[in-house]
Amino acid sequence: MQIHISANDGVPIYLQIVNQVKYLIASGRLKAQEELPPIRVLAERLVINPNTVARAYRELEAVGLVEKRRTAGTYVSDQGSPLARRERVKILTERIDALLAEARQMDIQFDELVKLAEQRDKAMQTSRNEE
Amino acid sequence: MNDPFPSSAPPIIDIRRLTRQFGNKTALNDVSLAVPRGGVFGLIGGNGAGKTTLIKHILGMLKAHTGTVQVFGLDPVQNPVGTLGRIGYLSEDRDLPNWMRVGELMRYTQAFFPTWDEAYAEELRQAFDLDARSRVKTLSRGQRARAGLLVALAHRPELLVLDEPSSGLDPVVRRDILGAIIRTIADEGRTVFFSSHLLDEVERVADRVAIIHEGRVMLTSSMDEIKDTHRRVTLRFGQPVAQAPALVGSLSCAGEGAEWTYVCSGESEQLRRAAEAIGGTVVGDTALTLDEIFVSRIQG
């Protein structure tokens, strides 16, 4: 699990972990039933307080993205959960907002943007079929 | 680890109304500080703020002139045996006996601590790449810090006290020191108290911090609380103003014309309402680093 902590942007460290794990799950880089590193291991690797990792894991558990097993260990929940989907939609929403803002600045109309998205989707499918 | 601050348990360090003068200079001014058991407590302040003087009181190297200092519920001056044996200490200048070899330093220190763990000491020596035959005086700055850390850790102290542990060290040695802090508290119930002016490090490893400035404690809080209650908000006013209107909770302010940026203590919603009250619209609201919070606190 690749996590990068920056103490320079003001975002609390536990929240940086939460956001990055959410992103890893939503983007499929962390799969359902995959085990997250133990708290102590991740704390030592990132050189941060273990309580911070524990708090991040608790937050992730509270939104249903991970689950604690009785035997020990924290695992990614099943992907079918609506929360994971909601998270995926949230990530996309942020990307779309950024895209819309950029398009507006470049004076590209919304219809044009939709057309462009359709074109790119087709291009992606064609290249996928060729693989 | 679910409950890092068991407030019901007595604090491991309990300082009340401590004042200390050197001649006519006040080094500590009415300082009260409670360090709970378990977790990492970061004492932050600039040069000459009083950090080392405070630490010397914790270790019983200085006697309180007024006020009280208790460690493990005991006075460290009157009861050095009951306190010092349970503390691991790394001083800022790492004052180790220069004429000893590393192996001798280990055996010498072992004699003072019944709880010395020989296997752990050897493990640390190897992990820190220290040659038992090297003389302390020939060690590089980084190796000297590692040797000091080894003898502070090897008796598995309940309380680890580090005075500016990373100052002047390269990133590899700093990582060793921070790693040692993390491993120490990952073991149930142990406590680390360290002073630093490297605030990105404090932000990474501390769960509680106190800001000390000119001998006074300006703020003591959990790291989460400090981060939650300090924001940088940028306000836009209807028209340019020569001077920023006062915002409730603001610690410092900069800007010009119609746009002004405040560093504030308060939560986002609270600040938004305060901004509206003075006719401003919030156009930016971001979290602050500990560094920025520190600077605005001691300048405010």
Side-chain angles (χ1 to χ4, degrees):
Chain A
M1 188 170 80
Q2 199 192 358
I3 302 259
H4 174 76
I5 298 299
S6 160
N8 301 324
D9 63 0
V11 178
I13 293 170
Y14 86 91
L15 206 53
Q16 294 185 35
I17 299 174
V18 168
N19 290 341
Q20 289 180 48
V21 171
K22 277 180 177 174
Y23 186 81
L24 288 172
I25 291 174
S27 65
R29 276 180 55 195
L30 267 178
K31 302 248 182 309
Q33 304 306 320
E34 204 169 313
E35 188 180 2
L36 266 53
I39 288 169
R40 188 184 170 141
V41 171
L42 189 60
E44 280 191 36
R45 199 206 303 158
L46 300 176
V47 199
I48 56 172
N49 193 303
N51 290 320
T52 307
V53 179
R55 180 168 180 202
Y57 282 12
R58 279 201 303 279
E59 303 263 333
L60 288 164
E61 199 185 359
V63 295
L65 281 170
V66 304
E67 55 198 27
K68 280 217 176 71
R69 301 247 174 101
R70 200 170 293 172
T71 43
T74 305
Y75 294 80
V76 177
S77 306
D78 284 327
Q79 291 297 285
S81 93
L83 276 163
R85 186 182 155 71
R86 199 185 299 164
E87 215 37 66
R88 292 202 292 270
V89 169
K90 198 181 142 201
I91 289 168
L92 277 182
T93 305
E94 282 167 14
R95 294 282 176 93
I96 290 170
D97 285 350
L99 181 67
L100 287 174
E102 212 162 327
R104 196 166 296 172
Q105 244 170 14
M106 294 178 179
D107 213 17
I108 304 245
Q109 296 302 308
F110 182 68
D111 300 347
E112 222 174 314
L113 194 64
V114 173
K115 242 176 249 161
L116 190 62
E118 282 170 356
Q119 271 174 24
R120 295 314 302 158
D121 186 50
K122 268 191 205 120
M124 202 182 280
Q125 287 195 9
T126 318
S127 68
R128 199 174 287 166
N129 291 340
E130 280 165 6
E131 262 173 29
Chain B
M1 231 181 290
N2 285 341
D3 186 8
F5 314 121
S7 50
S8 56
I12 205 155
I13 300 172
D14 195 359
I15 296 169
R16 296 198 187 171
R17 312 212 61 176
L18 174 64
T19 295
R20 173 81 198 198
Q21 301 211 298
F22 294 118
N24 53 13
K25 188 187 179 297
T26 306
L28 294 174
N29 192 347
D30 200 16
V31 167
S32 293
L33 202 64
V35 177
R37 183 179 289 270
V40 181
F41 195 105
L43 179 67
I44 61 187
N47 295 326
K51 302 191 296 290
T52 300
T53 307
L54 186 63
I55 285 175
K56 286 187 170 165
H57 280 88
I58 293 169
L59 297 163
M61 291 152 85
L62 289 172
K63 188 173 164 29
H65 280 170
T66 55
T68 58
V69 175
Q70 289 205 318
V71 183
F72 310 113
L74 302 165
D75 180 338
V77 176
Q78 281 171 10
N79 200 333
V81 178
T83 53
L84 287 183
R86 297 154 75 185
I87 299 176
Y89 169 53
L90 179 63
S91 73
E92 189 180 7
D93 40 17
R94 291 137 204 150
D95 40 1
L96 304 170
N98 271 323
W99 49 273
M100 279 190 193
R101 295 179 194 277
V102 168
E104 289 167 344
L105 174 69
M106 289 165 72
R107 280 193 298 281
Y108 171 79
T109 316
Q110 179 173 9
F112 291 93
F113 296 102
T115 57
W116 186 271
D117 182 336
E118 226 166 304
Y120 183 43
E122 184 53 28
E123 188 189 308
L124 287 168
R125 188 188 67 73
Q126 285 174 20
F128 290 166
D129 200 19
L130 287 163
D131 186 341
R133 290 160 304 177
S134 300
R135 286 211 191 271
V136 168
K137 86 170 160 219
T138 65
L139 296 177
S140 68
R141 209 184 166 95
Q143 289 303 80
R144 195 182 176 88
R146 283 182 166 130
L149 190 61
L150 186 161
V151 295
L153 289 170
H155 60 103
R156 298 193 182 273
E158 282 169 68
L159 171 63
L160 182 63
V161 177
L162 309 169
D163 192 2
E164 292 281 0
S166 340
S167 76
L169 298 176
D170 67 61
V172 179
V173 185
R174 279 165 56 182
R175 210 189 149 92
D176 277 350
I177 289 175
L178 296 179
I181 292 177
I182 289 157
R183 277 191 299 278
T184 301
I185 62 142
D187 291 347
E188 224 49 52
R190 300 210 277 160
T191 312
V192 178
F193 183 88
F194 80 116
S195 73
S196 182
H197 61 263
L198 297 171
L199 300 192
D200 59 324
E201 282 183 8
V202 178
E203 184 160 352
R204 287 183 101 102
V205 303
D207 27 42
R208 286 189 83 77
V209 293
I211 294 177
I212 185 167
H213 182 58
E214 290 174 351
R216 281 179 180 277
V217 171
M218 315 282 286
L219 176 74
T220 312
S221 177
S222 77
M223 184 69 80
D224 287 343
E225 212 175 290
I226 286 192
K227 298 284 288 183
D228 287 349
T229 57
H230 289 82
R231 312 284 304 171
R232 181 194 296 112
V233 295
T234 302
L235 303 188
R236 223 184 142 73
F237 296 98
Q239 53 208 11
V241 286
Q243 228 182 357
L247 180 68
V248 178
S250 114
L251 299 166
S252 66
C253 174
E256 72 281 306
E259 218 169 273
W260 294 81
T261 299
Y262 298 75
V263 172
C264 311
S265 96
E267 278 161 30
S268 289
E269 194 42 46
Q270 204 179 323
L271 292 170
R272 191 172 298 272
R273 281 197 301 272
E276 273 167 22
I278 57 169
T281 319
V282 177
V283 292
D285 178 3
T286 55
L288 292 164
T289 66
L290 187 58
D291 206 285
E292 294 165 319
I293 295 168
F294 173 71
V295 169
S296 67
R297 276 280 167 181
I298 65 165
Q299 285 176 347

